[in-house]
């Protein structure tokens, strides 16, 4: 039985059912995702992997916001840089978001995030969004003003139940046209935004416009899952107004319940400060990889703290994560290298292994407690290493298998073995190639060429073929 802390009830609640429908708020593709964003995506991945390990079936969606204030501003800049290149601004918007979308998928792969079942993109669900707008108008909770449509939050009795926002501050009759605002400013929010000017708009009964950000998730969830969902995840900063507004829209528009469990993961700090471009402590995953940080170490670091705690990204924390990863890899390799002899399995070790697997799963079942699960893992590593010491790296076949199976069991959630640098073309070379392909897709040719040269120096040339890019070892005469 899995228990998860529900932001709605502020208590741990059991997860019920065998097929779980999960929706996780994903990136706005106006930039490369930063390490704080990845905390939220790795958290969604741990949830997914834990549920699967426990035997649930999971259908998991993570959306991409490819139309909002930020992406439209990016598209406008693009047309100013290269006037005449794009047929219209919608075209420029697609061109602007494409490389960031591609980079996002590459980054998920780099961090070994299990594939999601759905990646809905907002621009592909406009009719569903307009349908929801009409439902809300019919229900009397939405109204039009100057071509935009707003949600009248005073019409929903339990508005604020997720964030427990103070509705006393609600400024009746005032409204917000922007997607983001804070808790001290509760107002009617925009569902459909009049946009006759910029050219990024779709036709509607209310005139040309585009969806509000909050509307996007509600409509896509309904379109994909056709009913209420079991779990909705996101960062804590999304509780208000984004998720509060999703609840208001979906419950009023479609009727009945919307989400059973709301799960939110905390912020990531860098050197104990909030990450910001101006503070110079803003890192995308790509920045970190360019500094020589390894994806498996970043993944481990993000797993090492409970999702409900703030974590601090620092050189020290990364060193600790690296030590943790190395322990796992060296035991894995030691187990592979150990001589496999005939004879009976070590009964004590078999019991220890079974207990460790059960305890690991149980710790995760308790609201995804990754730090306690990792403590189980390291205690097991200690016992396994001392057995190998005692047996001088020679184990009965069955015992060696037990060791391997147990590490594999842990890894179904940790997801680190796949990232282990391999002999031959190392994971870091593959990483460089992925990076170079992403740079090329983003038309950053200076960077793409620099990465090509790095690979050449390492003794590999890139072969670009119809089926993709490959690395080939350069033959030397020596
Ligand atoms: Zn969302």
């Amino acid at each position: 039985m899995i228990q998860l802390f529900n932001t709605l009830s502020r208590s741990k609640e059991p997860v019920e059912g065998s097929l779980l429908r999960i929706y996780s708020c994903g990136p706005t593709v106006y930039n490369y995702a930063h390490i704080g964003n990845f905390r939220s995506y790795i958290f969604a991945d741990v949830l997914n992997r834990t549920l699967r390990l426990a035997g649930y079936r999971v259908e998991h969606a993570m959306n991409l916001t490819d139309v909002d204030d930020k992406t439209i501003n990016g598209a406008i800049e693009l047309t100013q840089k290269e006037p005449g290149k794009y047929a219209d601004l919608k075209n420029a918007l697609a061109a602007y978001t494409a490389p960031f979308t591609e980079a996002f998928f590459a980054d998920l792969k780099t961090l070994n995030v299990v594939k999601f079942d759905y990646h809905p993109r907002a621009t592909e669900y406009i009719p569903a969004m307009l349908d929801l707008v009409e439902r809300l108008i019919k229900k009397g909770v939405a109204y039009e003003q100057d071509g935009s449509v707003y949600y009248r939050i005073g019409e929903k009795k339990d508005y604020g139940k997720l964030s427990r926002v103070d509705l006393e501050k609600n400024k009746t009759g005032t409204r917000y046209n922007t997607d983001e605002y804070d808790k001290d400013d509760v107002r009617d929010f925009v569902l459909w935004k009049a946009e006759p000017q910029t050219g990024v708009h779709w036709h509607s009964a209310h005139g040309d416009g585009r969806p509000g950000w909050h509307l996007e998730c509600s409509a896509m969830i309904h379109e994909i899952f056709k009913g209420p969902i079991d779990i909705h995840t996101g960062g804590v900063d999304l509780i208000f107004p984004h998720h509060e507004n999703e609840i208001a829209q979906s419950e009023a528009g479609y009727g009945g319940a919307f989400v059973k469990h709301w799960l939110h993961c905390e912020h990531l700090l860098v050197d104990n400060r909030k990450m910001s471009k101006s503070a110079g402590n803003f890192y995308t995953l790509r920045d970190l990889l360019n500094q020589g940080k390894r994806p498996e170490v970043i993944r481990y670091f993000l797993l090492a703290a409970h999702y409900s705690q703030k974590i601090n990204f620092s050189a020290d924390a990364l060193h600790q994560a690296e030590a943790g990863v190395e322990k796992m890899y060296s035991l894995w390799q030691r187990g592979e290298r150990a001589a496999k002899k005939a004879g009976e399995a070590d009964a004590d070790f078999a019991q220890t292994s079974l207990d460790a697997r059960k305890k690991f799963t149980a710790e995760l079942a308790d609201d995804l407690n990754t730090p306690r699960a990792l403590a189980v893992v390291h205690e097991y590593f200690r016992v396994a290493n001392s057995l190998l010491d005692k047996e001088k790296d020679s184990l009965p076949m069955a015992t060696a298998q037990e060791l391997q199976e147990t590490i594999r069991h842990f890894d179904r959630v940790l997801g680190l073995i796949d990232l282990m640098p391999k002999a031959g073309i190392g994971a870091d070379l593959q990483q460089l190639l992925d990076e170079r392909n992403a740079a090329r897709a983003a038309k950053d040719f200076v960077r793409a060429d620099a990465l090509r040269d790095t690979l050449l120096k390492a003794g590999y040339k890139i072969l670009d073929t119809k089926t993709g890019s490959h690395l080939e070892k350069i033959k030397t005469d020596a």
Side-chain angles (χ1 to χ4, degrees):
M1 165 93 76
I2 290 195
Q3 301 258 352
L4 297 172
F5 185 86
N6 190 347
T7 309
L8 190 63
S9 65
R10 306 289 196 272
S11 62
K12 277 188 210 173
E13 290 175 11
V15 176
E16 279 149 1
S18 56
L19 170 65
L20 302 175
R21 289 144 305 172
I22 309 176
Y23 184 90
S24 297
C25 284
T28 299
V29 281
Y30 77 109
N31 204 337
Y32 296 111
H34 61 67
I35 182 72
N37 301 133
F38 280 104
R39 180 175 195 198
S40 177
Y41 310 149
I42 293 281
F43 159 63
D45 185 51
V46 167
L47 171 67
N48 182 347
R49 286 169 175 266
T50 299
L51 293 168
R52 286 170 200 255
L53 180 68
Y56 293 89
R57 282 196 302 133
V58 173
E59 272 188 42
H60 200 168
M62 179 178 275
N63 69 303
L64 281 84
T65 299
D66 59 355
V67 56
D68 77 324
D69 295 335
K70 293 177 196 149
T71 45
I72 290 174
N73 286 339
I76 291 170
E77 272 175 36
L78 205 59
T79 54
Q80 286 163 350
K81 247 186 257 169
E82 296 179 274
K85 184 170 175 190
Y86 303 98
D88 57 30
L89 200 59
K90 247 194 213 172
N91 222 278
L93 181 71
Y96 179 73
T97 55
F100 298 122
T101 301
E102 194 173 325
F104 169 68
F105 289 131
D107 288 351
L108 288 187
K109 205 171 153 214
T110 298
L111 290 173
N112 200 22
V113 171
V114 169
K115 274 208 160 118
F116 291 84
D117 301 292
Y118 309 99
H119 276 298
R121 300 172 195 210
T123 51
E124 293 170 358
Y125 288 80
I126 303 292
M129 293 168 195
L130 281 169
D131 170 69
L132 179 52
V133 169
E134 295 318 308
R135 285 170 187 253
L136 292 170
I137 291 175
K138 267 193 208 122
K139 295 264 163 73
V141 296
Y143 60 94
E144 188 191 316
Q145 168 123 3
D146 304 328
S148 290
V149 182
Y150 299 87
Y151 193 108
R152 196 190 305 276
I153 58 171
E155 289 296 325
K156 188 152 193 326
K157 286 190 183 66
D158 57 359
Y159 183 88
K161 64 183 170 183
L162 181 70
S163 59
R164 303 191 179 174
V165 73
D166 182 4
L167 284 177
E168 293 298 301
K169 291 180 188 154
N170 174 19
K171 300 181 181 72
T172 334
T174 58
R175 57 196 72 82
Y176 257 115
N177 225 346
T178 48
D179 289 328
E180 291 175 61
Y181 50 94
D182 63 39
K183 264 186 155 177
D184 294 327
D185 225 351
V186 193
R187 301 186 192 194
D188 291 353
F189 62 91
V190 72
L191 298 166
W192 183 257
K193 192 171 170 179
E195 190 86 67
Q197 304 295 336
T198 67
V200 178
H201 54 236
W202 289 262
H203 301 305
S204 84
H206 314 283
D208 290 347
R210 64 172 176 90
W213 171 42
H214 315 299
L215 183 78
E216 297 178 358
C217 287
S218 281
M220 292 191 288
I221 289 170
H222 184 74
E223 197 64 11
I224 290 170
F225 295 109
K226 310 287 181 207
I229 60 170
D230 299 281
I231 302 172
H232 194 316
T233 82
V236 284
D237 51 322
L238 297 184
I239 296 174
F240 185 86
H242 186 54
H243 290 162
E244 196 70 68
N245 291 350
E246 278 189 38
I247 293 175
Q249 295 161 160
S250 294
E251 290 187 353
Y254 302 121
F258 173 38
V259 172
K260 273 192 217 157
H261 279 83
W262 283 95
L263 264 65
H264 292 98
C265 103
E266 255 295 348
H267 286 298
L268 176 134
L269 302 171
V270 176
D271 294 325
N272 286 311
R273 287 177 306 169
K274 203 169 173 249
M275 212 183 331
S276 76
K277 289 223 163 95
S278 55
N281 66 348
F282 183 94
Y283 299 116
T284 66
L285 179 62
R286 280 128 206 278
D287 295 332
L288 295 170
L289 299 174
N290 285 338
Q291 293 170 12
K293 309 281 191 293
R294 290 153 51 194
E296 61 271 31
V297 172
I298 296 168
R299 184 173 167 99
Y300 187 103
F301 163 75
L302 293 171
L303 295 170
H306 191 256
Y307 73 86
S308 65
Q309 306 290 318
K310 286 193 179 66
I311 52 172
N312 185 33
F313 188 79
S314 65
D316 220 36
L318 273 192
H319 282 309
Q320 280 178 35
E322 189 166 14
V325 171
E326 288 309 333
K327 266 191 194 151
M328 180 160 179
Y329 288 175
S330 72
L331 178 61
W332 177 262
Q333 286 159 352
R334 195 176 178 191
E336 278 190 329
R337 276 197 313 267
K340 315 291 191 302
K341 59 187 182 192
E344 298 247 321
D346 182 321
D348 282 351
F349 187 70
Q351 188 60 48
T352 302
S353 300
L354 179 65
D355 290 347
R357 293 197 293 266
K358 276 192 189 158
K359 193 134 189 280
F360 176 82
T361 310
E363 295 293 13
L364 289 170
D366 181 14
D367 197 27
L368 312 177
N369 201 315
T370 49
R372 285 212 313 259
L374 280 170
V376 172
V377 167
H378 284 288
E379 172 56 20
Y380 179 75
F381 287 178
R382 195 187 59 74
V383 173
N385 275 314
S386 71
L387 176 71
L388 280 154
D389 291 344
K390 194 177 103 205
E391 300 297 330
K392 300 196 166 46
D393 288 294
S394 170
L395 296 176
M397 182 63 95
T399 300
Q401 275 170 359
E402 189 82 53
L403 170 61
Q404 197 154 32
E405 261 169 44
T406 305
I407 299 178
R408 278 257 177 246
H409 178 90
F410 300 152
D411 201 57
R412 284 180 63 189
V413 175
L414 302 180
L416 297 166
I417 295 290
D418 289 338
L419 298 173
M420 185 160 53
K422 294 181 182 62
I425 295 179
D428 39 356
L429 290 176
Q430 185 59 47
Q431 183 59 46
L432 288 170
L433 179 63
D434 292 345
E435 286 272 332
R436 174 267 190 181
N437 290 342
R440 221 161 63 124
K443 301 210 165 26
D444 184 352
F445 294 114
V446 176
R447 190 165 141 62
D449 288 351
L451 287 161
R452 180 201 59 201
D453 293 343
T454 307
L455 284 163
L456 278 174
K457 271 186 213 140
Y460 288 87
K461 68 177 174 193
I462 301 169
L463 298 179
D464 291 314
T465 69
K466 273 186 199 149
T467 55
S469 305
H470 312 282
L471 288 180
E472 190 182 76
K473 184 128 185 78
I474 299 167
K475 289 190 187 73
T476 50
D477 296 329

